[in-house]
């Protein structure tokens, strides 16, 4: 019943809009997103802590300390740059601004930037990682001629960051290998949710005014627990693995603001067959948020007063993720991996490259902003450049 009501609200020409309906996340690694976002039973990266801390045990011991610094990443929707450029060119001319809004009416955009720097190590005793995250994102939906109450844009955004830590221990038994991981993160953020009017866009101090209207500050601590089970360890051709994680225990205490993180249960499975002409082959499938903790937020606003209601969202295709990684080259001087997958029922693709200590990662994926019955597609492109070894 809730989904029927929500679909009707989304289809109506009112001041209600499902903005920020994308599943909650803290960090998206282009190496993982290129593989459809599937990593729960794969691991192997410092960023695996965001999907399953047990995945830290899959970092190869021979790599010693794994260092990622200045990993600067940018993500943008396919037409975001064109929209921002057209809006800037319109200046303070109301007529030109309205023409831009008409051109992009109904489109949803995302622009984000982040830097996740981390140091990790898989020792003989246990694997561990500690990282520092700094990120910012903005999501907006464009209205031609304003919405029912005259809003030109509806915006939800945040700037946030914090410390993320995790540790994992592998246990070898007669039934196979069990990797058990624990993680903790402290996140602080400033969030922004509300309408922007044409009059706001014509002001020279528009950003400062909007900040004063809508800025909210929050912070919290969340815990994570994960398990990876490898029935044959690493001693079979297929090397199957199964994973489960419980993330954001305590929900990090930011549920009242955009950027809140619900507690989720997540499942995954993978195989890593040994193929002579590839340095790595991984096939993975995840089903995230098994308990349907993610919600769709619908806003109601009048002037500068913003209220909202969170509705349950249980679209299974938003939770199913398929991925494949093909390692073509892996030497001390050059590494190349091609990734592909399925995310939100749409294709993903990515490339992971390293030239000595210089790393370059890129990926594309599509978000579905909405309920599953009234979705707005948002194709995004990610690029990350960093230094690591």
């Amino acid at each position: 019943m809730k989904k029927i009501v929500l679909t009707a609200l989304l289809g109506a020409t009112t001041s209600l809009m499902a903005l920020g309906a994308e599943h909650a996340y803290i960090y998206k690694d282009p190496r993982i997103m290129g593989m459809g976002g599937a990593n729960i039973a794969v691991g192997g990266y410092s960023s695996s802590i965001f999907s399953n801390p047990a995945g830290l045990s899959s970092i190869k011991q021979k790599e010693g300390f794994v260092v990622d610094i200045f990993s600067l990443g940018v993500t943008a929707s396919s037409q975001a740059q064109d929209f921002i450029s057209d809006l800037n060119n319109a200046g303070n001319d109301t007529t030109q601004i309205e023409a831009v809004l008409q051109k992009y009416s109904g489109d949803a955009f995302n622009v984000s930037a982040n830097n996740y720097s981390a140091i990790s190590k898989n020792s003989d005793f246990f694997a561990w990682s500690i990282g520092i995250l700094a990120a910012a994102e903005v999501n907006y939906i464009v209205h031609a001629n304003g919405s029912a109450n005259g809003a030109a844009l509806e915006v939800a955004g945040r700037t946030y960051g914090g410390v993320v830590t995790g540790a994992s221990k592998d246990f070898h038994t007669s039934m196979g290998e069990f990797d058990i991981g624990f993680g903790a993160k402290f996140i602080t953020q400033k969030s922004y949710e509300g309408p922007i009017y044409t009059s706001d866009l014509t002001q020279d101090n528009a950003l400062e005014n909007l900040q004063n209207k809508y800025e909210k500050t929050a912070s919290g601590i969340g815990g994570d627990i994960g398990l990876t089970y490898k029935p044959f360890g690493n001693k079979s051709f297929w090397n199957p693995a199964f994973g489960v994680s419980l993330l954001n225990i305590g929900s990090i205490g930011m549920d009242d603001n955009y950027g809140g993180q619900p507690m989720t249960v997540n499942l995954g499975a993978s195989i890593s067959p040994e193929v002579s002409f590839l340095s790595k082959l991984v096939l993975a499938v995840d089903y995230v948020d098994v308990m349907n903790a993610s919600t769709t937020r619908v806003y109601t606003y009048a002037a500068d007063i913003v209220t909202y209601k969170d509705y349950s969202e249980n679209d299974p295709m938003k939770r199913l993720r398929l991925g494949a990684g093909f390692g073509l080259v892996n030497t001390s001087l050059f590494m190349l991996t091609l990734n592909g997958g399925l995310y939100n029922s749409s294709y993903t693709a990515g490339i992971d490259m390293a030239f000595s200590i210089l790393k370059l990662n890129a990926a594309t994926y599509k978000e579905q902003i909405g309920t599953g019955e009234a979705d707005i597609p948002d194709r995004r492109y990610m690029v990350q450049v960093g230094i690591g070894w």
Side-chain angles (χ1 to χ4, degrees):
M1 182 64 184
K2 285 184 177 180
K3 182 171 283 190
I4 295 174
V5 173
L6 181 56
T7 303
L9 292 175
L10 291 170
T13 306
T14 68
S15 60
L16 300 175
M17 178 57 67
L19 184 61
E22 173 185 355
H23 280 187
Y25 73 95
I26 295 178
Y27 178 71
K28 290 181 177 178
D29 188 328
R31 296 172 296 186
I32 296 173
M33 292 308 299
M35 281 186 57
N39 189 254
I40 293 169
V42 179
Y45 302 124
S46 60
S47 60
S48 297
I49 196 171
F50 294 100
S51 55
N52 184 356
L56 296 175
S57 288
S58 294
I59 296 176
K60 295 180 179 179
Q61 290 189 4
K62 67 179 182 180
E63 294 181 353
F65 286 96
V66 179
V67 179
D68 294 294
I69 57 175
F70 305 118
S71 296
L72 303 176
V74 176
T75 301
S77 301
S78 56
Q79 288 187 292
Q81 183 176 353
D82 293 337
F83 172 70
I84 294 171
S85 177
D86 289 349
L87 201 58
N88 286 335
N89 292 337
N92 294 333
D93 189 310
T94 301
T95 301
Q96 292 188 36
I97 291 175
E98 291 177 349
V100 173
L101 298 177
Q102 180 68 43
K103 179 180 177 181
Y104 296 95
S105 176
D107 289 342
F109 299 107
N110 168 279
V111 178
S112 61
N114 58 63
N115 178 5
Y116 183 61
S117 298
I119 180 170
S120 312
K121 190 177 192 302
N122 189 358
S123 66
D124 292 334
F125 184 61
F126 68 98
W128 57 269
S129 179
I130 181 168
I132 298 176
L133 173 67
E137 69 161 328
V138 60
N139 303 275
Y140 44 94
I141 293 179
V142 184
H143 295 291
N145 303 319
S147 62
N149 70 345
L153 301 171
E154 295 189 65
V155 177
R158 56 177 171 159
T159 60
Y160 62 104
V163 179
V164 182
T165 64
S168 178
K169 171 65 176 174
D170 56 345
F171 296 91
H172 298 269
T173 73
S174 59
M175 295 185 295
E177 178 182 329
F178 294 85
D179 300 334
I180 300 176
F182 300 90
K185 44 187 175 278
F186 170 75
I187 302 293
T188 181
Q189 74 165 23
K190 295 181 179 179
S191 61
Y192 311 85
E193 301 169 275
I196 296 178
Y197 301 94
T198 303
S199 58
D200 293 321
L201 298 173
T202 61
Q203 298 176 8
D204 292 333
N205 57 344
L207 291 178
E208 182 179 348
N209 290 340
L210 293 172
Q211 180 176 343
N212 293 335
K213 284 183 183 179
Y214 302 127
E215 183 176 279
K216 297 179 181 179
T217 302
S219 61
I221 298 175
D224 309 306
I225 301 174
L227 169 70
T228 303
Y229 171 54
K230 303 172 183 177
F232 309 104
N234 295 315
K235 299 178 181 179
S236 72
F237 173 80
W238 294 102
N239 294 317
F242 304 90
V244 58
S245 64
L246 179 62
L247 303 179
N248 306 320
I249 301 171
S251 298
I252 316 187
M254 299 186 295
D255 290 346
D256 290 337
N257 305 329
Y258 174 74
Q261 302 295 318
M263 185 172 66
T264 62
V265 179
N266 313 283
L267 304 175
S270 70
I271 57 173
S272 304
E274 298 179 2
V275 180
S276 59
F277 56 88
L278 294 175
S279 62
K280 179 180 73 171
L281 174 60
V282 179
L283 304 175
V285 55
D286 286 359
Y287 192 84
V288 302
D289 190 15
V290 174
M291 306 303 293
N292 297 331
S294 295
T295 59
T296 292
R297 176 163 292 186
V298 176
Y299 295 95
T300 304
Y301 52 84
D304 298 335
I305 300 175
V306 180
T307 58
Y308 64 84
K309 186 171 182 179
D310 290 333
Y311 291 83
S312 298
E313 185 277 308
N314 56 8
D315 182 0
M317 294 310 297
K318 284 190 174 182
R319 291 166 167 78
L320 179 64
R321 302 175 181 181
L322 304 175
F326 305 90
L328 303 182
V329 182
N330 189 3
T331 69
S332 59
L333 296 179
F334 179 67
M335 184 274 292
L336 174 63
T337 299
L338 300 181
N339 299 317
L342 192 71
Y343 177 92
N344 276 340
S345 302
S346 297
Y347 78 89
T348 68
I351 185 170
D352 178 14
M353 302 177 65
F355 303 89
S356 186
I357 65 171
L358 179 63
K359 295 186 176 182
L360 172 64
N361 307 308
T364 179
Y365 67 97
K366 182 185 286 187
E367 284 291 351
Q368 297 290 347
I369 307 300
T371 66
E373 294 183 3
D375 278 339
I376 301 174
D378 182 12
R379 170 65 60 181
R380 300 179 184 177
Y381 298 89
M382 316 174 72
V383 177
Q384 183 184 71
V385 178
I387 298 174
W389 57 87

